[in-house]
Amino acid sequence: MTTQEAKAHHVGEWATLRCTSIEIAEAIFEVAKYDEKLAEAIWEQQGNDDVLIRAFNKTQQDALTWDNKVIERKNV
């Protein structure tokens, strides 16, 4: 079974490789229930409202990145 630390490390690496904020990556994996294929499909969509709401709830930042694209809190 995967530990929480291992999941967090994997999600962090995944986010870095995709030039995506960790908050967005975490939210993607939560929505995908940690299914990596589904997470990849969600990431490719680049704009899932549920993911963005979850991501901004994880931080006080006003902007996050999704595949090097800046997404502002005010636009969610």
Side-chain angles (χ1 to χ4, degrees):
M1 177 168 260
T2 305
T3 66
Q4 286 302 102
E5 286 180 347
K7 281 184 181 178
H9 176 73
H10 174 73
V11 172
E13 281 186 66
W14 192 92
T16 300
L17 291 171
R18 289 161 181 78
C19 302
T20 298
S21 298
I22 186 70
E23 295 87 355
I24 289 178
E26 288 173 352
I28 288 171
F29 273 88
E30 288 170 8
V31 169
K33 296 185 178 26
Y34 290 89
D35 176 325
E36 191 155 355
K37 286 184 181 181
L38 181 55
E40 189 71 32
I42 292 169
W43 179 80
E44 288 174 357
Q45 293 172 4
Q46 295 187 11
N48 182 300
D49 289 340
D50 187 30
V51 167
L52 293 173
I53 290 166
R54 285 175 185 246
F56 278 108
N57 284 337
K58 294 175 179 292
T59 185
Q60 296 299 313
Q61 295 180 51
D62 289 325
L64 297 172
T65 56
W66 190 320
D67 191 22
N68 268 336
K69 295 175 183 78
V70 175
I71 298 170
E72 295 182 6
R73 182 183 296 273
K74 67 182 179 182
N75 295 328
V76 174

